[in-house]
Amino acid sequence: MMSFIYLASPYSDRDSTVQEYRYQEALRFCAEQMSSRPHIHIFSPIVYGHQMAKQYDLPGDAAWWQNFNLKFMNNCSQMWVLKLPGWDTSLGVTAEIEYARGRNLYTEYYNPSED
């Protein structure tokens, strides 16, 4: 059975090196999970939008991307939360968790060092 998974992870930060780190960690996590479990399909708004936002000067904040992200979450059967530093204070991740709860979406939490 195929699973469509929404990956929530923090992104926004004033420091572009923090954003780059968060992007690279989400990218690595997605690649590792998809290569070891070919039956899953992960959508990560960070992996999807990071380069586009950088290259075309789009906003990097959760508020700007929220409507877009939630449309994808509506088509997922699960949400995974990548617990990168700052995940628990991220406005975007907090909003995504609340939205997932409202939809009774199955949610798992992953520590980047334990995946």
Side-chain angles (χ1 to χ4, degrees), residues 21 25 28-29 82-84 110-115:
Y21 163 77
E25 286 297 300
R28 180 190 60 76
F29 181 83
L82 185 58
K83 293 170 54 176
L84 296 173
Y110 289 86
N111 290 313
S113 60
E114 297 175 6
D115 54 58

Side-chain angles (χ1 to χ4, degrees), residues 9-75:
S9 60
Y11 179 70
S12 299
D13 197 276
R14 291 182 181 170
D15 185 346
S16 63
T17 58
V18 171
Q19 286 184 309
E20 184 65 30
Y21 163 77
R22 290 172 171 174
Y23 162 71
Q24 290 295 332
E25 286 297 300
L27 181 65
R28 180 190 60 76
F29 181 83
C30 287
E32 287 176 357
Q33 294 300 314
M34 291 174 69
S35 67
S36 65
R37 301 193 232 181
H39 63 284
I40 65 167
H41 302 285
I42 302 174
F43 173 75
S44 164
I46 305 311
V47 170
Y48 179 86
H50 171 77
Q51 188 60 39
M52 186 185 333
K54 256 175 67 170
Q55 191 167 338
Y56 294 101
D57 199 29
L58 296 175
D61 62 287
W64 194 86
W65 289 93
Q66 184 177 32
N67 187 50
F68 177 84
N69 294 346
L70 296 182
K71 297 272 189 221
F72 275 92
M73 192 186 299
N74 285 336
N75 293 292

